[in-house]
Amino acid sequence: MNPRKIPRIIFKESKVPIYSLPDPLINSDNTPVSNEKEWWTKRRPEIMKLFEENVYGKMPGKPSKFGFEIKKLKRNALKGKSTLKEISIQIENNNKEITLNLLIFQPNNGEKPYKTFLGLNFYGNHTIHPSPDITITDQWIPNDKEQGITENKATESTRGMRAERWSVEHVIDRGYAIATVYNGDIDPDFDDGFQNGVHPLFYREGQNKPADDEWGTIGAWAWGLSRILDYFEHDEDIDHHRVIVFGHSRLGKTALWAGATDQRFAIVISNNSGAGGAALFRRKFGETIYYLNKTFPHWFCQNFKKYDEKENELPVDQHMLISLIAPRPVYVASAQEDFWSDPRGEFLSAKHADPVYKLLGTNGLNANEMPDIHHPIYSTIGYHIRSGDHDLTRYDLDRFLDFADKHL
Ligand code: GCU
């Protein structure tokens, strides 16, 4: 018996196969998209359906019951410059319930309502800032030996462990509010056959896992971001017309899908989002569909597994995901040594979304070639590549703030 061969991982540009991308401006009946109206009424819905059925899975609409409660309000947080709010958002459907614990830091100076950065976090709200006022999550969290998380439980010692990535004070100083929910409140990030998290709230009678074309965990996280936006519509401190959804890595993939599926997000930012995020699948550079599905069988819909090692058969590629965000500003950020995420592939998605952005009357991406490191582009499609590895650094965050200043 021949054991199955494990596919080689490409880390050299010279090994990237020749590929041809589906054209976002050619309809499935092979006619060109000739104007904006045709984009909105024909081609965009086609592309959306292809992503739903083949990649992220269809998500349900709004839940039958939705409520929220302000659990904490501290007006003199961060040495008086910020108000800290903790809100629990209750989501109920089919008599089952989940709670999203939302943390908001908003400025105390400046004009309300505030422009707001919204992103999910990986280990609990208390990790984004060391403040003892932030409630520690009692949810399952991933173990992380380095951080001393061994029993899938958050500990006091993990307060602020991701503070560098969030730079809360700095965001407040720039006049923005910043809001977050732990992704595990929506769906814990492990494969349990979709028994925990939000999925069971939407099972039809007799159903016990999502159908092959229904949402996986990334779809659930993106859906959760939309529910937070629903809450923002009731919070008069937050300008729900100026919400920037952002995320790093798997949460960057999530931010892009949230921005594609919910047009209320004003700006969409993905940082080092890689395969299943901004990177083009057809380049097969770094992480591929096979590796995504093997390591994270719960992230995408089951149909996506049909494309393991068959990227050319996928009816879409990720430049079309970015096109779904058009004409709203979108920013893609890469890191030079983040080979697993394929920085060039991230850039090329941005570039190949440009014709759609242009059709819709924006300036698209103001670059033909990949820019040098630390040369950010701030056109409607924005992009930068910085030195260093997979991470969300202060350099990245400062570019996101500059991009938001320019476009909001
Ligand atoms: C892994 C995974 C990536 C993902 C990353 C992250 O490296 O393979 O797809 O983006 O984790 O979320 O940090």
Side-chain angles (χ1 to χ4, degrees):
M1 281 237 296
N2 240 346
R4 204 183 164 288
K5 258 182 125 190
I6 297 171
R8 276 255 194 86
I9 302 171
I10 298 177
F11 282 130
K12 268 194 184 154
E13 199 54 38
S14 60
K15 300 273 186 228
V16 170
I18 292 171
Y19 60 89
S20 86
L21 292 174
D23 189 332
L25 292 179
I26 302 280
N27 293 303
S28 59
D29 60 11
N30 266 327
T31 57
V33 178
S34 46
N35 54 45
E36 282 192 42
K37 182 162 174 244
E38 203 176 335
W39 168 258
W40 289 110
T41 57
K42 187 169 173 185
R43 185 56 172 155
R44 187 179 189 278
E46 269 180 11
I47 296 176
M48 181 60 83
K49 193 157 179 266
L50 292 171
F51 273 107
E52 285 173 344
E53 291 177 354
N54 296 288
V55 186
Y56 302 99
K58 292 181 207 147
M59 41 170 87
K62 291 193 179 185
S64 59
K65 272 199 192 161
F66 176 86
F68 56 87
E69 198 183 327
I70 302 193
K71 294 280 195 183
K72 191 178 279 181
L73 181 72
K74 194 174 175 205
R75 295 207 184 273
N76 58 348
L78 309 183
K79 300 198 181 102
K81 72 164 88 159
S82 170
T83 293
L84 174 156
K85 299 199 279 203
E86 287 188 337
I87 293 117
S88 70
I89 302 176
Q90 285 101 24
I91 293 176
E92 198 186 312
N93 212 61
N94 286 333
N95 297 319
K96 293 188 191 115
E97 198 183 45
I98 58 163
T99 300
L100 313 189
N101 299 292
L102 171 66
L103 168 69
I104 304 176
F105 281 101
Q106 66 189 47
N108 281 339
N109 292 320
E111 244 179 77
K112 281 186 199 175
Y114 297 107
K115 302 179 275 187
T116 301
F117 275 84
L118 168 64
L120 301 176
N121 66 72
F122 288 77
Y123 288 96
N125 295 345
H126 64 287
T127 59
I128 78 155
H129 191 276
S131 163
D133 291 318
I134 305 174
T135 304
I136 293 194
T137 182
D138 54 14
Q139 283 275 5
W140 175 98
I141 57 164
N143 282 336
D144 182 329
K145 270 202 198 128
E146 247 175 66
Q147 299 289 343
I149 310 170
T150 51
E151 309 282 323
N152 299 113
K153 276 250 151 265
T155 56
E156 274 294 330
S157 64
T158 56
R159 274 191 193 283
M161 79 183 230
R162 285 286 181 265
E164 267 185 42
R165 281 198 182 160
W166 290 77
S167 299
V168 172
E169 271 96 347
H170 182 60
V171 176
I172 296 291
D173 288 342
R174 297 272 305 244
Y176 291 81
I178 185 157
T180 191
V181 162
Y182 167 49
N183 64 356
D185 282 2
I186 309 166
D187 190 24
D189 192 3
F190 65 94
D191 182 20
D192 76 329
F194 300 103
Q195 298 316 301
N196 61 18
V198 69
H199 296 91
L201 274 65
F202 290 91
Y203 290 158
R204 294 174 292 277
E205 204 152 313
Q207 187 181 12
N208 60 12
K209 60 175 194 205
D212 292 351
D213 63 352
E214 287 179 335
W215 56 345
T217 293
I218 290 182
W221 291 337
W223 183 90
L225 285 164
S226 288
R227 303 295 70 82
I228 302 167
L229 197 46
D230 294 344
Y231 161 75
F232 286 162
E233 292 179 350
H234 300 275
D235 185 332
E236 53 189 32
D237 299 338
I238 303 295
D239 185 346
H240 60 268
H241 296 297
R242 291 192 296 171
V243 174
I244 304 123
V245 64
F246 78 116
H248 169 62
S249 207
R250 69 198 66 184
L251 297 177
K253 311 182 205 299
T254 304
L256 290 171
W257 183 231
T261 51
D262 191 334
Q263 299 194 49
R264 294 174 300 169
F265 288 114
I267 292 187
V268 182
I269 297 175
S270 82
N271 189 68
N272 304 179
S273 59
L280 288 177
F281 286 126
R282 279 167 174 73
R283 283 170 49 80
K284 300 187 198 172
F285 191 105
E287 189 171 31
T288 59
I289 299 178
Y290 169 87
Y291 284 103
L292 273 174
N293 283 328
K294 184 169 183 279
T295 326
F296 309 100
H298 56 298
W299 278 3
F300 298 87
C301 72
Q302 292 308 301
N303 279 341
F304 190 51
K305 296 183 176 152
K306 292 195 222 158
Y307 303 101
D308 283 2
E309 297 181 79
K310 294 190 181 138
E311 5 286 289
N312 286 322
E313 290 176 24
L314 188 68
V316 289
D317 212 320
Q318 297 303 87
H319 60 310
M320 293 158 90
L321 176 66
I322 294 179
S323 320
L324 290 175
I325 298 165
R328 290 163 294 147
V330 62
Y331 196 93
V332 174
S334 302
Q336 198 183 21
E337 289 158 32
D338 183 16
F339 303 113
W340 189 235
S341 302
D342 186 15
R344 176 169 289 278
E346 292 174 330
F347 169 76
L348 288 173
S349 269
K351 176 177 149 87
H352 292 297
D354 171 83
V356 176
Y357 271 78
K358 293 251 167 74
L359 175 80
L360 300 184
T362 77
N363 61 353
L365 178 76
N366 190 11
N368 287 321
E369 298 301 322
M370 198 163 168
D372 289 340
I373 58 166
H374 306 144
H375 279 74
I377 299 164
Y378 293 133
S379 42
T380 312
I381 304 176
Y383 178 83
H384 77 241
I385 177 162
R386 63 157 167 80
S387 58
D389 208 340
H390 192 71
D391 196 359
L392 199 164
T393 67
R394 179 61 173 270
Y395 177 86
D396 300 312
L397 190 73
D398 278 335
R399 302 295 73 74
F400 305 159
L401 286 158
D402 291 348
F403 185 71
D405 281 354
K406 178 162 179 217
H407 290 281
L408 285 182

